[in-house]
Amino acid sequence: MNAINPATGERVETYEIETADDVDNALKAANEAYEEWRIRPLRERERLLTEVAEELRENDRTYAEQITREMGKPISGALAEIEKCAWVCEHYAEHASAYLTPEGHPSPPGVDARTVYEPFGPLLAVMPWNYPFWQVFRFAVPALTAGNVVLLKHASSVPGCAMAIEDAFRQAGLPEGTFRTLLIDADLVDGILGDDRVRGVTLTGSGPAGRAVAATAGEQLKPSVLELGGSDPFVVLEDADVEAAAEVGTQARMQNAGQSCIAAKRFVVHTDVHDEFVNRFVAEVESLTVGDPMDAETDVGPLASEAFLTELHEQVERSLEAGAHAVTGGEPLDREGAYYPPTILTDVPEGCPVDAEETFGPVAAVYEVADEYEAIEKANDTRFGLGASIWTADRKRGRRLAHDLEAGCVSVNQLVKSDPRVPFGGIKESGYGRELAADGITEFVNRKTVWVE
């Protein structure tokens, strides 16, 4: 399993792929660890989370550089990702007890009826490369705090990150086997999920991968949570603060080189402010620094691989052939590495790739609409339903229109982002289930009713 630096094309390191026997031993160890971990007092599990947060912060540069070397995220973004992982640890260390407090129910005199929350057991996490620490931590931290143990099948392009995450939990004092990375090929996932020792699965990734995991989980009657792709709309109405919308919209589309499920991808703009927004948007995008991801001044690094660059450019080329217009960008940069320039397309025809498909890179599609009704119609014209952002000076109007947007998360006058304090997840082909907040910690627990007379 080779880790390749997308900024240079050079091999970072090679890792040995684990065998089916290795997996069997890992499952055995996970079950043994679970029997001890599940009975640890919740307060002790919470305390260990604070140790994880300290470990991350004390070694943030080391972990961030691992991210940057393997998938090309600018070092500033990688450091921010590590800090966010520390935050989610601290959030559950502080709030897990409240989230898992038994809930009482109406009952006859002399009867105590309540719901208690108990862990499931070993859980499988199948995770992507684009936020190689955060995607893992936002699932693993609440799962571990609830008393489960975690087996991680990470993306094959970030094996060093996968091993570093396991080491971070170990360094913080979590017992051996509580969190285990599996460096395996994808063809072993079905067998792991079919094993009786695994009690549930979560996947963040592509639609085809999600369908495959969901099908196996369904056959095994095991719970699953899926966070899949997105083609999030960014709606700018006629009364919006256009300057702020263009500035935040640039961040929403271009951070992490546009490689984010919840990135704003389709910009739906009222005709009264369309030209002003496009001009400001172009100016903001062209001010970004594209370069070496290890440089603190870099805003946009390379895509995670040459293959992703090729796929993205094919989507852009086919959209231009269909009639779209590139107002900036649109051609791979003539330099070493998988660099694609921040790109904005206007006059985007219905059904072309940047309209109908998810674009996983720094490419924005802009649409002009006549009124809020057309804006909502265009925003919802997608098979995805992860996030949506709407911009208006009238907060009451924004709240009303938020109910009309078909998405799991809607932000008014802000970009869509995951936050430990609120549930996160999508609808339609963006998946199901929720991560973070109370919902995230109770997805993989037994909500047991206990009736005592």
Side-chain angles (χ1 to χ4, degrees):
M1 190 175 290
N2 292 316
I4 306 296
N5 186 335
T8 63
E10 297 176 352
R11 180 175 59 85
V12 177
E13 195 165 343
T14 298
Y15 297 81
E16 288 294 324
I17 294 178
E18 294 183 278
T19 66
D21 286 342
D22 295 325
V23 171
D24 186 67
N25 290 333
L27 289 172
K28 180 180 179 181
N31 267 271
E32 291 173 353
Y34 170 66
E35 292 305 319
E36 187 274 333
W37 183 246
R38 67 189 297 269
I39 60 174
R40 283 270 189 112
L42 177 56
R43 288 296 189 188
E44 186 174 340
R45 297 198 294 265
E46 291 173 329
R47 181 189 61 78
L48 285 170
L49 287 183
T50 65
E51 300 292 331
V52 177
E54 289 180 11
E55 163 65 22
L56 292 172
R57 290 199 175 103
E58 287 175 3
N59 298 284
D60 59 350
R61 187 80 191 186
T62 299
Y63 292 127
E65 288 181 355
Q66 186 72 47
I67 292 172
T68 299
R69 282 194 299 269
E70 288 195 326
M71 55 76 57
K73 189 191 303 290
I75 191 66
S76 59
L79 286 165
E81 182 172 341
I82 298 303
E83 174 58 30
K84 194 170 185 178
C85 293
W87 178 25
V88 79
C89 290
E90 291 174 337
H91 176 82
Y92 282 101
E94 181 178 354
H95 297 287
S97 293
Y99 291 154
L100 298 175
T101 296
E103 179 184 359
H105 303 289
S107 58
V111 171
D112 179 72
R114 61 180 60 194
T115 297
V116 298
Y117 302 98
E118 298 178 350
F120 273 163
L123 304 173
L124 175 64
V126 182
M127 291 293 159
W129 48 264
N130 57 331
Y131 286 87
F133 271 65
W134 171 243
Q135 305 278 22
V136 175
F137 270 78
R138 75 182 188 193
F139 160 72
V141 169
L144 290 166
T145 313
N148 300 297
V149 300
V150 173
L151 297 154
L152 169 65
K153 191 287 178 207
H154 217 325
S156 59
S157 58
V158 289
C161 289
M163 297 304 296
I165 293 169
E166 179 180 321
D167 188 60
F169 282 115
R170 184 184 300 112
Q171 292 297 328
L174 271 72
E176 198 73 26
T178 307
F179 182 98
R180 172 72 154 81
T181 285
L182 302 173
L183 294 183
I184 58 173
D185 288 327
D187 57 8
L188 292 183
V189 169
D190 266 7
I192 296 171
L193 188 50
D195 194 293
D196 289 342
R197 292 170 290 187
V198 173
R199 301 298 301 276
V201 62
T202 185
L203 175 141
T204 298
S206 68
R211 287 186 176 87
V213 165
T216 303
E219 290 173 0
Q220 300 293 327
L221 296 179
K222 294 179 180 179
S224 59
V225 170
L226 303 180
E227 196 266 275
L228 307 177
S231 187
D232 287 10
F234 189 98
V235 178
V236 183
L237 298 176
E238 78 284 356
D239 63 343
D241 181 336
V242 177
E243 182 178 2
E247 180 180 349
V248 177
T250 299
Q251 180 186 1
R253 172 66 279 204
M254 302 301 169
Q255 65 178 341
N256 204 36
Q259 300 168 119
S260 172
C261 295
I262 58 170
K265 299 185 175 79
R266 296 176 301 123
F267 291 76
V268 181
V269 186
H270 193 285
T271 188
D272 288 356
V273 295
H274 174 271
D275 292 350
E276 179 188 358
F277 176 81
V278 170
N279 289 337
R280 290 184 180 275
F281 193 22
V282 170
E284 290 283 348
V285 163
E286 291 181 344
S287 73
L288 298 174
T289 299
V290 180
D292 179 1
M294 284 295 184
D295 187 336
E297 300 301 314
T298 293
D299 299 306
V300 180
L303 298 186
S305 74
E306 289 285 349
F308 295 145
L309 184 149
T310 299
E311 180 180 358
L312 179 68
H313 188 50
E314 288 177 352
Q315 290 176 303
V316 170
E317 283 188 311
R318 286 186 285 130
S319 299
L320 293 173
E321 291 169 1
H325 175 60
V327 292
T328 188
E331 289 288 343
L333 295 176
D334 184 16
R335 60 180 296 172
E336 182 182 53
Y339 287 91
Y340 201 84
T343 296
I344 298 174
L345 304 184
T346 60
D347 306 314
V348 177
E350 184 177 349
C352 74
V354 300
D355 175 63
E357 302 171 7
E358 180 178 24
T359 49
F360 222 61
V363 175
V366 181
Y367 305 83
E368 184 174 354
V369 293
D371 52 43
E372 69 175 44
Y373 304 103
E374 187 179 345
I376 297 300
E377 183 179 26
K378 183 60 189 176
N380 291 336
D381 185 22
T382 173
R383 66 183 188 274
F384 298 107
L386 189 53
S389 179
I390 188 162
W391 289 74
T392 172
D394 185 342
R395 295 179 66 187
K396 185 177 180 181
R397 182 190 192 192
R399 191 183 303 276
R400 171 175 58 83
L401 293 176
H403 291 284
D404 295 329
L405 289 166
E406 297 171 356
C409 313
V410 178
S411 295
V412 179
N413 298 327
Q414 184 53 272
L415 56 81
V416 176
K417 50 191 173 183
S418 55
D419 184 308
R421 298 166 294 189
V422 294
F424 176 82
I427 60 171
K428 299 196 290 189
E429 291 192 24
S430 291
Y432 54 76
R434 291 295 180 265
E435 295 178 307
L436 301 174
D439 294 42
I441 202 169
T442 56
E443 281 283 5
F444 291 102
V445 297
N446 176 16
R447 299 171 179 86
K448 179 185 289 185
T449 298
V450 178
W451 179 288
V452 179
E453 293 199 19

